[in-house]
Amino acid sequence: GAVVSQHPSWVICKSGTSVKIECRSLDFQATTMFWYRQFPKQSLMLMATSNEGSKATYEQGVEKDKFLINHASLTLSTLTVTSAHPEDSSFYICSAQQGNYGYTFGSGTRLTVV
Amino acid sequence: GQSLEQPSEVTAVEGAIVQINCTYQTSGFYGLSWYQQHDGGAPTFLSYNALDGLEETGRFSSFLSRSDSYGYLLLQELQMKDSASYFCAVTNQAGTALIFGKGTTLSVSS
């Protein structure tokens, strides 16, 4: 079945630094991947759609200069949280769709900014 | 835009049956999905309805009525491990990404 690998699973960083999160499709090619953010006890909020070889499409209210997305290959999308602040602390999850087989999610990255 | 409503919490005992309802408003409809998420984990796919009616997958069933913009997830023979959050979801206007409801926290007690 479709497997999406996400790294790191957790990260702690200092305020003002940048953090990169990787999302890989292991056994299929994903021309499109999706990035979500989830605060405790809340829903998954779509941040952006990552398109291989082109610019990402960001949802309203998501700062594209703060959340940099790169989808340079058919199996890898990265999300970089730039100049992180404590309010960016959250659970970030990526997802990919394999044909008609539905959506597969990465295991998530818990980011804590101190 | 897309919006989904579901109850925030449901409690039940082992062996019981629980129904989690979901009503939605969408611009374009491609189907209703259900996902389970345990604390700190990734969402896992449970069920999908594109057409009206009931879909059964083991202890879990899902129902859709497109005319009522309504669906539900039915969990039977509840087990402690079913304690989790359950989300209904539809695709966005572009028909690409999933948009999730606020989630229903199910607590199963012995």
Side-chain angles (χ1 to χ4, degrees):
Chain A
V3 177
V4 172
S5 174
Q6 185 174 342
H7 292 282
S9 56
W10 61 270
V11 58
I12 301 173
C13 72
K14 290 186 177 181
S15 187
T17 62
S18 296
V19 172
K20 180 185 286 188
I21 301 170
E22 292 188 348
C23 180
R24 294 180 185 272
S25 56
L26 295 187
D27 49 2
F28 67 102
Q29 294 182 331
T31 56
T32 305
M33 292 185 177
F34 310 98
W35 288 96
Y36 293 84
R37 179 168 54 181
Q38 185 178 34
F39 293 108
K41 305 298 184 185
Q42 294 189 24
S43 186
L44 292 87
M45 300 302 298
L46 179 67
M47 298 175 67
T49 299
S50 170
N51 304 297
E52 187 269 334
S54 64
K55 292 182 179 180
T57 304
Y58 290 83
E59 296 299 300
Q60 193 172 7
V62 177
E63 300 175 59
K64 62 181 181 181
D65 295 330
K66 180 169 187 61
F67 299 99
L68 300 179
I69 291 173
N70 183 278
H71 195 153
S73 77
L74 287 171
T75 59
L76 175 64
S77 176
T78 61
L79 168 68
T80 300
V81 183
T82 63
S83 186
H85 291 284
E87 58 265 31
D88 299 322
S89 298
S90 188
F91 192 53
Y92 293 86
I93 310 174
C94 67
S95 172
Q97 185 180 21
Q98 183 190 16
N100 296 322
Y101 295 99
Y103 298 83
T104 302
F105 289 82
S107 54
T109 298
R110 185 155 312 277
L111 170 64
T112 302
V113 184
V114 298
Chain B
Q2 324 296 71
S3 69
L4 303 98
E5 293 292 330
Q6 51 182 128
S8 58
E9 293 184 13
V10 174
T11 59
V13 296
E14 279 185 300
I17 300 174
V18 153
Q19 178 174 313
I20 299 174
N21 299 320
C22 174
T23 56
Y24 58 86
Q25 290 185 328
T26 62
S27 303
F29 180 75
Y30 300 90
L32 185 70
S33 302
W34 289 92
Y35 285 80
Q36 178 193 61
Q37 185 185 33
H38 286 96
D39 268 350
T44 55
F45 172 77
L46 292 178
S47 190
Y48 172 71
N49 295 72
L51 303 175
D52 289 356
L54 189 69
E55 292 285 339
E56 298 181 78
T57 310
R59 296 188 297 116
F60 295 169
S61 303
S62 59
F63 172 83
L64 176 66
S65 169
R66 289 176 298 170
S67 61
D68 296 322
S69 297
Y70 162 78
Y72 66 72
L73 178 70
L74 190 72
L75 299 88
Q76 303 181 76
E77 301 173 18
L78 282 174
Q79 303 174 9
M80 298 287 284
K81 68 178 182 179
D82 297 327
S83 294
S85 293
Y86 293 84
F87 297 90
C88 56
V90 295
T91 53
N92 60 0
Q93 283 183 266
T96 54
L98 283 176
I99 304 301
F100 289 87
K102 289 184 168 60
T104 299
T105 301
L106 171 63
S107 299
V108 181
S109 60
S110 57

